[in-house]
Amino acid sequence: MKPVIFGCEGPCLTDDERAFFKDAEPAGYILFARNVEDREQLRALTDSLREIAGRDDLPILIDQEGGRVARMKPPVWPEFPAWGVFDKLYDVAPMSAIEAARCNAHAIGLTLAEVGVTVDCLPLLDVRQPGASDVIGDRALGSEPMRVAALGRAVLDGLALAGIAGIMKHIPGHGRAMVDTHKDLPRVTASAGELESDIEPFAKLSNTRMAMTAHIVFEAWDPDRCATLSPIVIEKVIRERIGFDGLLFSDDLDMKALRGDRAGLAAKVVEAGCDIALNCWARMDEMIATVERLPDIAEKSRKRLETAMEGIRPDSQAGDLQELIAKRDALLSHA
């Protein structure tokens, strides 16, 4: 097995992809809007990925947040709100906000379970800061660390009720970035003391099974390398200070915050301490080069992967979608 997550080109696998994935044995896959048409098609795609891998516990990831980040869209699937609305409700009724967030995540989870997706790239535990780039914006659960942790826990619990694993992101925190990592590399100049509030939600939920890094330079910790590529940040901050010992993914290696060829970057993030690199865009030449550059997955990373996926059994019958949405909306009406 190679320590990489790959994307697919379209709504069904090409013959070349089938042959390559079987030989390469990536750790898992990630889906985007280009892979999504309807329920029957998407279920067939995820089933084919499991068949090739020969693993029922295969991580099949998707960014199904709601708001402006949604790969599965209306009219086939419900439209889910951005997470900022739960932060607003928390101002009025904290327990109602937590329950609404849980219902929303449970509903999202049911839609994923139906089509065989096993992992959602939620929740964002980034503590929103004034004046920062809007790349996080209303995707955030708030600007107060304890609130972010409480709502984040509810999101993870809601997904789990549908048998879906969540990934907390973007560890150790994306809330201070002044530029969009899709476009450039942010540098955060806050002191180590100031960054304590950024890492607090991640520390509170450090027993979460999976996390995803931030392509951000934190000058107080490592002025030369972004978190994704920094052994210092990964070992000293993420593993030791935050206490996260679960499966650590890089964020997408195709983002312009990073420089260099994707195969080389994949090797560097694994060398830095990420368990698995994300190569999302299904370019066959890049995927072949990445497999050639990467070692086999480390034993510790393989064990983390097995632990992360243990008991993950998507179940679209584990709740009533319309009832959950109705309950969520009734609670949000009080915001």
Side-chain angles (χ1 to χ4, degrees):
M1 182 189 297
K2 293 295 181 178
V4 64
I5 297 288
F6 282 138
C8 312
E9 184 177 319
C12 60
L13 296 177
T14 66
D15 290 341
D16 285 346
E17 285 177 328
R18 286 180 179 276
F20 171 71
F21 291 151
K22 189 170 183 61
D23 288 341
E25 197 181 349
Y29 300 89
I30 185 166
L31 304 178
F32 288 85
R34 66 178 183 269
N35 307 120
V36 175
E37 291 180 346
D38 56 43
R39 291 178 178 86
E40 183 178 359
Q41 166 271 322
L42 190 50
R43 182 74 207 207
L45 176 59
T46 61
D47 284 347
S48 65
L49 292 171
R50 267 182 289 276
E51 180 184 2
I52 289 170
R55 292 154 49 204
D56 289 336
D57 62 350
L58 181 71
I60 301 178
L61 285 59
I62 198 167
D63 287 291
Q64 189 69 1
E65 295 178 13
R68 54 197 159 102
V69 180
R71 314 308 185 196
M72 297 158 57
K73 301 177 184 291
V76 178
W77 290 279
E79 183 173 4
F80 292 95
W83 290 97
V85 300
F86 303 93
D87 178 35
K88 291 179 181 177
L89 178 58
Y90 200 103
D91 288 332
V92 179
M95 294 309 296
S96 293
I98 289 170
E99 182 60 19
R102 185 183 296 111
C103 288
N104 191 60
H106 188 177
I108 291 173
L110 292 179
T111 66
L112 303 186
E114 182 182 27
V115 295
V117 174
T118 54
V119 182
D120 197 1
C121 300
L122 274 178
L124 279 73
L125 299 187
D126 307 309
V127 179
R128 191 174 185 180
Q129 300 287 341
S133 165
D134 198 46
V135 65
I136 299 299
D138 64 0
R139 299 165 64 197
L141 290 166
S143 56
E144 196 282 313
M146 286 299 293
R147 178 183 302 199
V148 171
L151 291 171
R153 178 76 268 166
V155 173
L156 290 165
D157 289 347
L159 290 172
L161 288 170
I164 304 297
I167 300 177
M168 60 179 185
K169 60 186 188 184
H170 306 80
I171 198 169
H174 207 302
R176 294 181 189 269
M178 301 303 290
V179 296
D180 183 347
T181 47
H182 295 88
K183 300 176 181 178
D184 206 347
L185 176 64
R187 299 186 69 88
V188 169
T189 59
S191 69
E194 290 170 325
L195 290 170
E196 284 295 307
S197 64
D198 298 61
I199 66 177
E200 185 177 344
F202 296 100
K204 293 293 184 187
L205 302 183
S206 61
N207 62 345
T208 301
R209 299 178 184 215
M210 305 181 190
M212 183 179 291
T213 61
H215 296 333
I216 297 173
V217 173
F218 296 92
E219 295 185 357
W221 295 325
D222 187 341
D224 300 318
R225 294 165 292 195
C226 72
T228 302
L229 295 167
S230 171
I232 296 170
V233 175
I234 291 172
E235 184 60 31
K236 299 299 182 182
V237 180
I238 295 175
R239 296 301 189 190
E240 294 182 11
R241 174 64 188 86
I242 291 174
F244 175 72
D245 193 38
L247 188 70
L248 185 64
F249 298 96
S250 76
D251 204 346
D252 180 9
L253 299 182
D254 205 52
M255 295 163 73
K256 292 182 172 55
L258 303 182
R259 298 287 185 269
D261 70 279
R262 302 303 171 242
L265 286 170
K268 286 178 181 178
V269 302
V270 171
E271 288 169 7
C274 288
D275 293 299
I276 295 178
L278 258 67
N279 180 314
C280 298
W281 292 101
R283 301 181 186 105
M284 184 58 72
D285 57 341
E286 286 185 359
M287 293 193 293
I288 292 171
T290 296
V291 168
E292 291 173 349
R293 288 290 299 272
L294 283 174
D296 289 342
I297 193 168
E299 186 59 28
K300 179 178 268 190
S301 296
R302 181 188 285 272
K303 288 180 179 177
R304 286 176 176 147
L305 173 60
E306 291 171 353
T307 299
M309 295 304 296
E310 186 177 346
I312 299 302
R313 296 290 183 271
D315 185 357
S316 60
Q317 305 303 310
D320 186 285
L321 179 63
Q322 296 308 318
E323 287 182 4
L324 288 164
I325 290 173
K327 184 176 181 181
R328 175 204 68 193
D329 291 345
L331 291 166
L332 288 175
S333 69
H334 298 293

